[in-house]
């Protein structure tokens, strides 16, 4: 009986599995590189905490003697949120008794989690528009309350949203003329003529109203001092009062970027 030896394996047949393995490995590496490249193009996430304080007192009206809070919100809020890369953003009203006001809107996440295929910049822009809408709702609510302007109370209320830690950033847009006028304190009736008299006024004011916990915060006023825009001497005393209170006592930093 003749025994037939098996035919020798063709050299190409031996190499084909190795080639398939090499191609598979190359494909995995290419895909991994593509994923990494896509991931590197995605915008970094926002992390800053911000606040918006809205004055609904009589002087906020769109009138000859008012500072038109609605127009100023529309002109500055979305730019402020974009410039400062705000993520968690809270809101507070200024009314006759700001801390006790029933006017409120919920905090917003302006850089929310989205699908990997979503346009993150478009989502941020949409959320900033929602923030403006909510701020306008808060303004309209505040304007329906009893007339008054407890600016310090509004600052104390937004301070509740400040993140903990001395180095935690907190950017606050305050749309107000800063003309404090509540039941117990009217700024226009105070003696602000000298540094000594201003210190005395500030001492009593903070004792009766409390000191907002905004140390280290950046405060951006809009509409600040508009009542005195044609009266230089009154404005200088007004500005000296708030500068000493906010920067000297509260230990916040006042930024004039959006002041109008």
């Amino acid at each position: 009986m003749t025994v037939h030896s098996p035919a020798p394996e063709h050299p190409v047949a031996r190499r084909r599995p190795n080639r398939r393995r090499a191609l598979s490995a190359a494909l995995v590496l290419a895909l991994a590189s593509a994923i990494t490249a896509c991931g590197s193009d995605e915008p970094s996430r926002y992390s800053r905490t911000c606040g918006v304080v809205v004055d609904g007192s009589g002087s906020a009206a769109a009138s000859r003697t008012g500072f038109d809070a609605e127009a100023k919100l529309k002109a500055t809020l979305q730019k402020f949120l974009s410039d400062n890369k705000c993520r968690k953003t809270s809101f507070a009203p200024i009314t006759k008794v700001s801390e006790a006001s029933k006017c409120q809107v919920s905090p917003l996440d302006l850089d929310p989690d989205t699908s990997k295929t979503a346009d993150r910049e478009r989502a941020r822009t949409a959320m900033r528009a929602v923030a403006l809408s909510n701020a306008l709702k808060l303004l309209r609510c505040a304007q329906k309350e009893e007339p008054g302007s407890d600016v310090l109370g509004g600052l104390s209320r937004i301070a509740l949203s400040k993140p903990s830690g001395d180095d935690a950033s907190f950017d606050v847009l305050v749309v107000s003329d800063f003309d404090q006028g509540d039941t117990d304190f009217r700024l226009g009736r105070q003696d602000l003529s000298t540094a000594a008299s201003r210190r005395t006024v500030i001492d009593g004011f903070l004792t009766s109203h409390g000191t907002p916990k905004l140390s280290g915060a950046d405060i951006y006023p809009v509409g600040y001092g508009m009542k005195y825009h044609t009266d230089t001497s009154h404005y200088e005393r007004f500005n000296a009062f708030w500068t000493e209170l906010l920067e000297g006592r509260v230990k916040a930093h006042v930024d004039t970027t959006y002041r109008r």
Side-chain angles (χ1 to χ4, degrees):
M1 181 177 63
T2 303
V3 178
H4 298 282
S5 300
E9 187 178 0
H10 196 281
V12 173
R14 287 197 303 270
R15 289 196 298 269
R16 190 172 295 135
N18 291 334
R19 179 179 295 176
R20 283 199 297 268
R21 283 195 295 272
L23 288 172
S24 297
L27 181 60
V28 169
L29 288 172
L31 287 172
S33 298
I35 292 171
T36 302
C38 291
S40 64
D41 292 338
E42 184 177 351
S44 58
R45 302 298 298 275
Y46 291 168
S47 60
R48 295 183 75 87
T49 301
C50 298
V52 181
V53 183
V54 182
D55 190 339
S57 66
S59 59
S63 64
R64 184 177 63 82
T65 57
F67 66 90
D68 198 347
E70 180 173 343
K72 284 180 168 48
L73 273 171
K74 290 178 178 179
T76 61
L77 177 55
Q78 292 180 88
K79 178 172 175 51
F80 163 78
L81 296 172
S82 176
D83 290 348
N84 291 283
K85 299 183 177 181
C86 296
R87 185 164 186 179
K88 181 183 178 183
T89 301
S90 300
F91 305 82
I94 292 174
T95 63
K96 186 174 183 179
V97 187
S98 300
E99 290 182 272
S101 173
K102 295 181 180 179
C103 297
Q104 62 178 345
V105 293
S106 299
L108 290 175
D109 182 347
L110 303 184
D111 190 15
D113 294 333
T114 59
S115 66
K116 292 182 179 179
T117 58
D119 184 332
R120 183 163 296 284
E121 284 302 328
R122 179 176 294 180
R124 290 168 176 166
T125 299
M127 290 307 300
R128 288 192 287 266
V130 173
L132 174 59
S133 176
N134 285 4
L136 291 171
K137 289 177 184 176
L138 187 66
L139 172 63
R140 295 183 187 111
C141 177
Q143 288 176 320
K144 293 176 182 177
E145 294 203 345
E146 186 177 359
S149 184
D150 179 16
V151 179
L152 200 68
L155 293 175
S156 292
R157 185 157 165 176
I158 201 64
L160 298 175
S161 303
K162 185 179 183 296
S164 59
D166 293 337
D167 59 344
S169 64
F170 192 44
D171 300 317
V172 183
L173 187 76
V174 185
V175 182
S176 173
D177 61 357
F178 279 73
D179 188 22
Q180 179 83 23
D182 62 86
T183 304
D184 303 316
F185 184 94
R186 295 189 68 84
L187 187 58
R189 297 178 182 174
Q190 308 301 318
D191 179 7
L192 308 179
S193 59
T194 66
S197 64
R198 288 192 294 271
R199 283 195 298 270
T200 300
V201 172
I202 291 171
D203 288 342
F205 184 36
L206 295 180
T207 297
S208 63
H209 288 66
T211 303
K213 298 185 183 304
L214 289 172
S215 176
D218 290 297
I219 297 177
Y220 297 81
V222 181
Y224 179 89
M226 290 194 69
K227 180 178 179 180
Y228 307 105
H229 72 283
T230 59
D231 189 333
T232 303
S233 60
H234 276 80
Y235 177 81
E236 288 176 351
R237 294 194 290 270
F238 165 90
N239 185 51
F241 170 85
W242 280 110
T243 300
E244 170 59 23
L245 192 152
L246 293 173
E247 297 196 332
R249 305 294 186 90
V250 175
K251 304 302 181 185
H253 173 253
V254 178
D255 192 303
T256 61
T257 299
Y258 307 98
R259 185 180 293 182
R260 339 175 141 235

